[in-house]
Each structure stands twice: as structure tokens, then as C-alpha cells.
Amino acid sequence: MAATRAEVCVVACAEAWRGDGEVLAAAMGTCSVLGARLARMTFEPDLLTTDGGALLTREALPLGRAAAPEETEGWLPFRDHLWLVLHGRRHVMMGASQLDRYGRSNISAIGPWERPDRQLLGVRGAPGNTRCGPTSYWIPRHSRRVFVPEVDMVSGVSAADAHGLRRVVTDLAVLDFGGPGRTARLVSVHPGTTVREVLDRTGFELAGAGGEVPVTREPTGEELRLLREVLDPGGLRDREVPG
Amino acid sequence: MGKVTTPDAIAASLSDGMVLGIGGWGSRRKPMELVRAVCRSPVRDLTVVSCGGPDVGMLCAHGKVRRVVAPFVTLDSIPLEPYFRAARESGAVALTEHDEGMFMFGLLAAAHRLPFLPTPAGLGSDVLRADPGLRTVRSPYPAEDGGGPLVAVPPLRLDAALVHVNRADARGNGQYLGPDPYLDELFAKAADRCYLSCERLVDSFTGPPQTLLVSRAVVAGVAETPGGALFTSCEPDYGRDEEAQRRYAASAADPALRAEFFGPGPESGRTEAA
């Protein structure tokens, strides 16, 4: 059975942690959390993952299941996430309400910060995450509302100021910041998506879109089995990224 | 030696213009019964320091807040806090918005009576633009990377703090039994005086000593408030009441629902400071 768009996205998220070794794979969003756990179950077995709460688990857990005591290998309350930000050994995949071609992200507010048109979450840990450790992004709806020429409030810092912006996975494509002057670059488009569609839904110029653009790899049979039978039998991934 | 008191007496001890810290995190183990007492009290012009959730929203909705100091305000299962949003979008409250790590260092600095703590978190972001009072500092020691600037996080000194715990004794010792202490003992230590609410007052504690989170040395009063964190979670005593939280979030756009959280009357649920 062919992989759904959501399953391609999960695997593209998982690839963000390839080669990271024994670090915490911190993730926000369904496909991103699934990606972290799938990476651990396949090509990156030393990753640390949580139960979605304060517990590090002995094995990657199915989505939404709390860890039983015998499934727990460590304790990671919020304060230790903040410690990890400065210490390292953590690669976070965050969401963003806005992301610009320099890699700056905004989760704080839309419009003038002093009196916003739309108050969002606040900067959360984005300034520290991006400045101090490797950061990727997961954007479930690739659109011009998200991919803007310039963010309204810099919550996550630019690729030039960051410790290392690794990749941006969206429902359409994979980007990185390997363009001129560390600007956004198209790395691959998902199967069934065209470069034209990605450009139409991106509010700035995208490097790497001119020539031959690779297609994001398909999940392997084993990856699909783990996703469908073990990690997400309820299909929450398809609710985040409809077929 | 007894410090047992009531939510209304705690609220009555606060004064206008205070810096008030509130423990918990988002929509988790918030001292909601104490927050409701503050909402009922005449106090106003508060600066509220919080890893914000419905505590911030309720106080904003009751016109109690002049400034919010927070890294975020969220209901967790509902990303955005509707009453905080309305207060920000109407210009009713000012905001000091710091990175989470900066925020923890602010409490750490205050708890240790330090003038600042250095961190790279915040550099390159608009946190420094949004808070022009922030300064940077350089290490006096040689550094391999040349020793760039660090943010000098100022202490978050609190006039008072409100914290909810699972168990407490009459002397003001507090115990948490859930998976995460959040930053609660830092709020207690950063404050001139901390008030606890608890699910249950006990004569003595069971469980490992590392669950004894807050010491009576920094606690001024303790109130027994069973269910006192609702509708936020207070594990393992109870999880979040998601249905009540949904009604709370919906009440921002539904006056009929508003009385449930804000009482009857024309003042209920106002989002502008008087």
C-alpha cells in the first residue's frame, strides 16, 4: 500500500535526527513526535524520547500512551529541558506561525508587538533553542501565511545567528538554509507535489528551485509497518496532514 | 506556628501594584482557587509573573493586571489563552516577554539574591528589542570563542507568590506528587512571601523526601483547597478537566457561558482595565 502524505512527512521529520546519536529528540506536533520515535526505532537507536510528558522512555512509545514505571528510563521535567538547551544534547523540532527566508521564526504575535493584531503563544523557548542548539521546524500547512518575507516578531533566531538550523519539513516539501547568505533552499518536494505548488505557497524566493529538485524519499515497508501498527494505529497523523 | 488561612484572606493581604508570581505551568497545577479569590478582591494594577495559563487569563479578564511577565501564555490542549489574547489585542495589559530559560534564570537570580545571571538565550531575537531594559554582559575570563556578549537576565523579584501543591502541613511545608515540580520552589524562594494552597492538609508526609518541594521557611500562609487547581491538572490527584476548560475558552465569545467563570453582572468577563 502506498504511503500517505502524512507518512511521507513523518519520515521526512525522522530524517532530521539522522546522525544525532545520543541526544534528546524533542518534538512538537503529531508528525514531528512520530518522526522522533520512528527515527529511534529504526536508524537512530540511541536517541532519547519522552512519553510526551516528563518521562524518558526505555523504548519509543505509541502516540498518546503514558509510560508505565517499567517503561521509564529517566526523568525530564521542564526545568531539565531548559538545562538541556544550554548544555546541548538536544535537537528540537518546533512549530512556527511565521517563518522567513532567513530562518527567523515567530510564535509570539502577529502585527505590531506592542499591540498585536493577533496575540499568539509567546516566544516560549524559541530564542534559547535556536541560539544554543540544533533546531528544525515542522510546518503542517505550507502557505504564504506561514512563509512570509519577514516575520513580525523574531522568536527563533535567523540561520546566521543560530547554533544550527537543520531542516524545515512541511506537508509539501523539505527545506534547509543552504541558500546564498544562509537563506531558505528547497531540498526536496514530496511525491505528488510540484515545485510550482511549493513556490506558489511560499511568500519569498526559494533557492534551489530552478534546476532538478529531488523527490522526498518514500517510507520503507518497515517504517510503514511501525507507523501503522505500533506508533500510531489510531491514524492521528492523517488528521494533522489529510491525505 | 500555624499558618493555615483561607484564599480570601490571602487575596486580602495583597496590595495594589504588587509583583505577583504564580506557580504551575500553562494549564498545569495552577493555584486557581487563590486566583479566583484575587479576582474577587479589590486589588488591582498587578504585575503578574507566570508560566502563563488560565491564571493570567482570569486576572486579565477581571482587570487586575497592569503587566504580564511571561515566556508564554497557553491552555496546553487549547494553544491560545482567549482572555490574555483579548487583553493584549485591546492594549489593556503590557507584556514583558522573555525566553523560558531566561525566565527560569530570572527566578533563580531572585531566589539567590543575585543582580543577574548570564545566558546566551535571547541573543539575536526580538526579546531584547521588546524589553529595552535588558542589558548584555561579557565574561571576564578568556574564552575559546572570543567571548561574545551574554544576556544579563535581571532577577524576577516577587512581592508575593501563589503556588498550589498536592499536600501541605499547617506549618507551610509543601509536597508535590506529580511528575513535574515546574518552577514552583523558585517562585517561593524569589518572593518576599509565598502562599500555598493544597489539595489536602496533612499532619505528616508520606513519600520520598525529594517530593518536599517548598519549605515553610519561605511560606507565609497555607490554605486547604480540595480541587483548588481545577480546571487545570493536579496529578496524581486529578487530570485537567478538559470539558470545563473548553467551556472557559468558549466563554470568551459567549456571554451566557461567562457567568460560570466570572459570575453574573455587567462587570463579568471584562477585558479592559477600568
Side-chain angles (χ1 to χ4, degrees), chain A residues 75 79 108 113 119 123-124, chain B residues 71 88-89 97 100 179 182:
Chain A
W75 185 46
R79 60 183 62 194
S108 171
W113 181 86
Q119 174 66 39
V123 293
R124 274 216 83 154
Chain B
R88 274 281 282 152
E89 293 170 12
E97 183 176 13
E100 283 171 8
Y182 310 121

Side-chain angles (χ1 to χ4, degrees), chain B residues 27-264:
Chain B
S27 191
R28 305 171 199 219
R29 201 152 48 72
K30 284 289 177 180
M32 295 303 287
E33 201 55 49
L34 301 186
V35 167
R36 284 187 279 270
V38 175
C39 290
R40 287 193 296 271
S41 80
V43 74
R44 50 179 293 163
D45 291 330
L46 296 172
T47 292
V48 175
V49 178
S50 176
C51 291
D55 53 327
V56 171
M58 296 270 287
L59 291 167
C60 285
H62 283 84
K64 301 296 184 189
V65 184
R66 186 169 52 86
R67 174 176 294 275
V68 174
V69 180
F72 57 82
V73 182
T74 180
L75 298 176
D76 291 316
S77 52
I78 299 172
L80 303 185
E81 214 299 338
Y83 290 99
F84 170 67
R85 256 194 68 196
R88 274 281 282 152
E89 293 170 12
S90 71
V93 299
L95 178 65
T96 299
E97 183 176 13
H98 287 175
D99 166 82
E100 283 171 8
M102 289 175 63
F103 185 88
M104 181 170 77
F105 273 21
L107 291 175
L108 267 173
H112 293 84
R113 304 300 188 253
L114 291 170
F116 68 90
L117 280 174
T119 180
L123 295 172
S125 79
D126 277 345
V127 162
L128 276 81
R129 184 172 66 88
D131 182 355
L134 287 172
R135 296 286 178 268
T136 58
V137 65
R138 279 176 195 275
S139 170
Y141 302 109
E144 280 176 24
D145 64 4
L150 298 163
V151 179
V153 179
L156 283 170
R157 295 203 186 90
L158 311 172
D159 294 313
L162 308 178
V163 167
H164 184 76
V165 291
N166 300 89
R167 306 286 178 268
D169 66 16
R171 296 196 281 189
N173 296 298
Q175 180 183 38
Y176 82 111
L177 298 171
D180 200 317
Y182 310 121
L183 304 179
D184 283 357
E185 91 285 14
L186 291 180
F187 277 98
K189 291 170 177 167
D192 287 346
R193 54 185 206 268
C194 176
Y195 296 101
L196 293 184
S197 58
C198 64
E199 290 299 312
R200 207 166 77 223
L201 275 172
V202 293
D203 294 327
S204 60
F205 295 102
T206 55
Q210 57 267 37
T211 61
L212 299 172
L213 187 63
V214 182
S215 162
R216 65 185 169 87
V218 295
V219 172
V222 54
E224 186 176 45
T225 62
L230 287 170
F231 50 86
T232 74
S233 63
C234 185
E235 293 173 23
D237 290 315
Y238 46 84
R240 185 179 303 128
D241 184 341
E242 296 285 359
E243 178 50 32
Q245 174 159 290
R246 264 194 296 278
R247 289 198 306 274
Y248 167 79
S251 75
D254 184 346
L257 276 176
R258 212 163 297 180
E260 180 183 345
F261 300 95
F262 300 96

Side-chain angles (χ1 to χ4, degrees), chain A residues 3-10 171-172 190-193 197 238 241-243:
Chain A
T4 65
R5 177 61 59 85
E7 288 161 347
V8 170
C9 291
V10 171
D171 59 334
L172 300 184
H190 298 341
T193 306
E197 189 183 356
D238 297 318
V241 179

Side-chain angles (χ1 to χ4, degrees), chain A residues 4 16 37 64 70 77 84 129 208 231:
Chain A
T4 65
R37 296 183 189 184
E70 67 274 12
L84 268 175
N129 288 346
L231 286 174

Side-chain angles (χ1 to χ4, degrees), chain A residues 172-175 185-190 193-196 198-199 206-216:
Chain A
L172 300 184
V174 177
L175 318 177
R185 179 177 69 174
L186 186 57
V187 173
S188 67
V189 295
H190 298 341
T193 306
T194 64
V195 172
R196 184 75 258 155
V198 173
L199 294 178
L206 211 46
E212 192 82 352
V213 177
V215 175
T216 311

